[in-house]
Amino acid sequence: MMLSYSKWYSERSSIGQYDDFHRWAGFRFSPNDKTYYHSYYECADAIHMYHQALGQAGANKEIAAQAAIMLATCDEAVQLFKTNTKHYYSPYRKLLKTRYGQTESFAAAVTHCPDTAAWNKKF
């Protein structure tokens, strides 16, 4: 994706060299925004990998809890991006709380991550 960083899609050569606000205010990832849309905006690759991690965790509840935390985070980020609603609660939250609520990973996330701590209060 770093190859996508270039000029603003409608930037003219008359824009000053030090005018950073105007240079980046309307920046797009063109032409790669279409290529990487699902990976970047819909977390498709990340969600796929966390599903694999959850499936391959086997009896390791700590790894499974970590994957479930990230699945819930990605799922809610995608829904927020697509619908712009803050009232979506990922089904991975319930999985996380019921199946992995007693793990050290869940306890650490609740302690150190404000989002997970807020989730824990809304179950």
Side-chain angles (χ1 to χ4, degrees):
M1 183 148 66
M2 290 304 293
L3 296 175
S4 298
Y5 287 98
S6 61
K7 290 186 177 184
W8 181 24
Y9 66 95
S10 63
E11 184 175 346
R12 296 180 307 272
S13 59
S14 63
I15 293 179
Q17 177 179 348
Y18 301 104
D19 193 359
D20 286 338
F21 174 75
H22 289 100
R23 177 166 298 173
W24 299 106
F27 182 77
R28 293 174 40 124
F29 291 118
S30 282
N32 290 333
D33 59 342
K34 292 177 185 164
T35 304
Y36 298 111
Y37 178 85
H38 295 294
S39 293
Y40 187 77
Y41 295 106
E42 293 184 351
C43 304
D45 293 339
I47 289 172
H48 176 74
M49 296 301 284
Y50 290 128
H51 272 290
Q52 282 186 332
L54 187 61
Q56 294 178 3
N60 190 334
K61 287 191 171 193
E62 296 299 328
I63 296 294
Q66 293 167 16
I69 289 167
M70 294 310 300
L71 277 168
T73 302
C74 291
D75 184 39
E76 291 188 3
V78 169
Q79 290 302 318
L80 177 63
F81 174 73
K82 286 182 174 181
T83 63
N84 201 21
T85 180
K86 295 189 183 220
H87 300 292
Y88 175 79
Y89 299 107
S90 175
Y92 296 108
R93 284 189 189 193
K94 185 175 181 181
L95 172 74
L96 179 62
K97 179 75 172 196
T98 57
R99 205 178 281 177
Y100 308 113
Q102 302 302 318
T103 62
E104 290 180 23
S105 296
F106 181 75
V110 169
T111 303
H112 301 292
C113 177
D115 290 334
T116 311
W119 291 352
N120 196 32
K121 294 176 185 174
K122 294 180 183 178
F123 282 110

